[in-house]
Amino acid sequence: MKFYDVIVVGGGHAGIEASWAAAQVGAKVGLVTSNPERIGLMPCNPAVGGPGKSQIVAEIEALGGLMGKLADATAIHTRVLNRSKGPAVQSLRVQVDRDSYALEAQRMLLAHPNIESIRAEVSALWVEPRLGPSLLEGGELRGVETVDGRRIAAQAVVVASGTFLQGVVWYGRQSRPAGRQGEPPARFLSDSLRAIGHDLLRFKTGTPPRIQAESVDYGQLETVPADSPAQTFSGTVGPNATARPTWQTRTTEFTHRLIQENLHLSPLYGGDIEGVGPRYCPSIEDKVIRFADKDTHLLFVEPDGLHTSELYLQGFSSSLPPELQVEMVRSLPGFQKAVIQRFAYAVEYDAVNPLELTPGLQSRKLKGLFTAGQLNGTSGYEEAGAQGLLAGLNAARYAMGLPEAVLPRASGYIGVMVDDLVHRGTDEPYRMMTSRVELRLICRADNADERMLPLAASWGLRSQSDLQSTLAKYTHVEAELQRLERVRVDGVSGAQFLRRTNTTYADLLERTVDAGPLLTQAEAEQVEIRAKYAGYIDRQLRLMEKLKELECYLLPESTDFTRINSLSREAVEKLSRIRPRSVAEVSRVPGIRDSDITALLVFLSKVPA
């Protein structure tokens, strides 16, 4: 029998990052998938980044993950969104070659000496009961079992099964078991998770139709060119980063009428689908019904790759029957003769209630079990990849006898997402947005290295030389900011000059006799941002200090909330289940009152130091 430090179940974005992170810190990893050739497959839009999501990718990159590198290496169109707005919400979006992305992910993973691919379907967690053969809750995790009868031993397991747990795909009111188009579901693992005490949710997501590229009249579409020069996540520009444009079209009144007249054919509106869908990535049916005042909706037409014949119709996700999809697509400008190569569908799947996870994404029901990605109730490649990295790192640390690594909420987007999930939970597929982040002016994509790399180096995800380079970068930035307070330009300090509208660091250097030190482009960008937004950044730093005060009030692991006077009944029930580690975490649990916080502070004042 083979033995691994960590087994990762699933080869999607969460599984990729989990395997890589665990392997990078020295764990021997077994990556279990039913088909290793599908590792890294992008079942939805082959794109990485966008509002709220590019910030996550920047943090994954700073933590030593793969997603940014894979996107840059296989990019075919790059574009910065919200460029006219401030740096906190500017977001890089990279359209990638779908097939090349998967091949590059497979190449990098399987070349790692600590990662071994295992072809199998996991049927159950291998748990040795402690209190009898029928009671798995409270048992000891030994690894996983497969449908062909094998047992694969490991000290820790990361389940990153995406939409495959008891997956069902819907085309109209017809359904069949599947994890996604053309692939079977994970048939048995849900039962194993329930057996150890997990409460499973039922969620839904979907994907648009893929259109034969040659059947579209591009003359009727609005062209969206790639940015030149191309921006990147990792600093390395791929060979085809500006190779393709994308396009835009719109729905019509006839499109909307077709949908409204045929809602009875929708499994969601017909009552067949029980799963809850994503609020912020709705199907075209949802858009037409929820926004009935709108006569048209914008759609994005994007290539699946350099050598594929398919276009992705973003914004046109649907679960209506295929024959109706043909009429709907042909009602769009430029698509009058369109040929659908793959029809849109909805997929229902089981998800773990994230309230049953620790901030390190370990199960509260079974030590050594970690979960990541859509299984945790999220939506999106980027959210999945970030969770995979954290879960893989912590699975390796568990196997090594080390404490959990945690990203505090104030550390950035990944910290906010995980904190939201494990302390607030979710009743629909969770999607990261800039509006969720209280300190978004501090937690920008451009300074992810400053925030994340010291942590990554301390955990073994990044090298000490990487850390020293980053520390030197920000030392140069701080020194230049101090110099600019002394330099005079047009009667004001250099820092004040930079705060003027439409002024740049390059403009300042042209107006000064002393040009100062020679900075890199990244250093100059940091100087300009920090000078322009100094007042706002200071305000957020003060807010961060206030939030940290509550983080300092730590709750003993043995806290019996039923014995704390004045706690509300709801607080006792939720805190006993969630087991928060600090008063700050308590404050973010839905339903907690100010009086509950006061009661906890009084309780802690009486706890011996």
Side-chain angles (χ1 to χ4, degrees), residues 328-344:
M328 290 161 54
V329 167
R330 290 184 175 177
S331 71
L332 307 175
F335 287 78
Q336 292 87 342
K337 298 181 180 179
V339 175
I340 299 178
Q341 291 195 172
R342 288 191 288 163
F343 289 97

Side-chain angles (χ1 to χ4, degrees), residues 333-455:
F335 287 78
Q336 292 87 342
K337 298 181 180 179
V339 175
I340 299 178
Q341 291 195 172
R342 288 191 288 163
F343 289 97
Y345 62 90
V347 57
E348 277 189 293
Y349 56 96
D350 287 344
V352 168
N353 186 340
L355 290 173
E356 299 172 345
L357 305 175
T358 70
L361 299 182
Q362 183 174 196
S363 166
R364 296 183 186 272
K365 306 293 184 179
L366 181 64
K367 289 184 176 181
L369 173 64
F370 298 80
T371 58
Q374 284 181 281
L375 176 62
N376 287 349
T378 59
S379 173
Y381 303 149
E382 300 82 0
E383 291 89 338
Q387 293 171 72
L389 189 153
L390 185 61
L393 168 65
N394 278 319
R397 290 176 67 86
Y398 178 87
M400 297 171 182
L402 297 173
E404 273 192 355
V406 174
L407 287 168
R409 188 177 185 91
S411 69
Y413 278 65
I414 300 175
V416 168
M417 173 180 65
V418 173
D419 186 76
D420 280 349
L421 290 171
V422 305
H423 293 122
R424 298 179 178 178
T426 185
D427 56 5
E428 62 186 28
Y430 178 101
R431 179 176 181 174
M432 177 48 72
M433 298 175 291
T434 57
S435 60
R436 295 189 189 272
V437 182
E438 300 92 339
L439 303 173
R440 58 184 172 272
L441 195 53
I442 297 174
C443 302
R444 308 180 308 273
D446 61 79
N447 71 346
D449 56 348
E450 181 184 31
R451 293 179 285 111
M452 295 292 172
L453 215 144
L455 292 171

Side-chain angles (χ1 to χ4, degrees), residues 18-321:
S19 300
W20 185 260
Q24 283 293 88
V25 297
K28 182 66 176 176
V29 179
L31 173 55
V32 184
T33 64
S34 58
N35 184 355
E37 295 176 0
R38 308 288 278 185
I39 291 172
L41 181 72
M42 292 181 142
C44 209
N45 191 357
V48 172
K53 293 171 176 283
S54 68
Q55 288 85 348
I56 290 179
V57 181
E59 293 180 2
I60 292 174
E61 174 66 23
L63 288 167
L66 289 184
M67 182 171 283
K69 295 178 180 65
L70 295 173
D72 290 341
T74 59
I76 60 174
H77 180 279
T78 67
R79 187 163 169 249
V80 175
L81 309 180
N82 298 326
R83 192 183 284 276
S84 63
K85 298 180 180 179
V89 296
Q90 290 179 6
S91 306
L92 175 62
R93 188 173 186 278
V94 176
Q95 192 79 18
V96 306
D97 185 291
R98 179 194 65 200
D99 297 339
S100 296
Y101 187 99
L103 290 172
E104 183 66 7
Q106 293 165 29
R107 183 192 69 79
M108 291 192 71
L109 281 180
L110 302 182
H112 199 294
N114 288 346
I115 300 175
E116 182 176 329
S117 174
I118 303 169
R119 183 187 289 266
E121 180 189 343
V122 172
S123 60
L125 299 168
W126 175 11
V127 181
E128 291 294 337
R130 289 181 177 174
L131 302 176
S134 63
L135 184 61
L136 294 183
E137 191 170 353
E140 184 175 347
L141 179 66
R142 295 291 184 83
V144 298
E145 300 174 353
T146 67
V147 294
D148 56 12
R150 284 178 286 169
R151 280 183 164 179
I152 307 172
Q155 291 179 276
V157 174
V158 179
V159 180
S161 52
T163 61
F164 278 69
L165 289 193
Q166 293 294 326
V168 175
V169 297
W170 291 86
Y171 298 86
R173 303 189 72 171
Q174 302 296 315
S175 67
R176 66 170 183 270
R180 58 190 174 205
Q181 191 175 54
E183 295 183 77
R187 298 165 289 175
F188 310 109
L189 197 49
S190 291
D191 291 338
S192 191
L193 290 168
R194 288 193 184 94
I196 63 172
H198 273 289
D199 171 34
L200 299 188
L201 310 173
R202 191 71 173 164
F203 281 168
K204 173 195 86 77
T205 189
T207 188
R210 306 314 198 274
I211 311 300
Q212 188 181 93
E214 294 81 4
S215 67
V216 174
D217 180 0
Y218 297 93
Q220 297 185 48
L221 309 182
E222 179 182 346
T223 301
V224 181
D227 286 349
S228 185
Q231 301 297 306
T232 69
F233 293 113
S234 67
T236 302
V237 179
N240 301 303
T242 59
R244 290 285 187 274
T246 61
W247 303 268
Q248 294 178 353
T249 189
R250 287 186 171 275
T251 58
T252 64
E253 289 186 15
F254 183 53
T255 314
H256 293 200
R257 188 161 67 250
L258 279 171
I259 292 169
Q260 291 164 341
E261 292 175 354
N262 290 282
L263 278 178
H264 61 286
L265 301 177
S266 162
L268 181 62
Y269 287 90
D272 300 310
I273 288 180
E274 298 176 0
V276 180
R279 178 194 310 265
Y280 300 106
C281 189
S283 67
I284 189 62
E285 298 98 280
D286 284 338
K287 289 180 186 178
V288 169
I289 299 305
R290 285 166 49 187
F291 306 105
D293 57 317
K294 293 186 178 294
D295 296 326
T296 183
H297 291 286
L298 183 65
L299 305 175
F300 298 88
V301 183
E302 300 171 328
D304 266 8
L306 294 177
H307 307 293
T308 66
S309 60
E310 294 182 340
L311 296 173
Y312 183 93
L313 195 52
Q314 185 190 351
F316 210 69
S317 176
S318 178
S319 60
L320 288 166

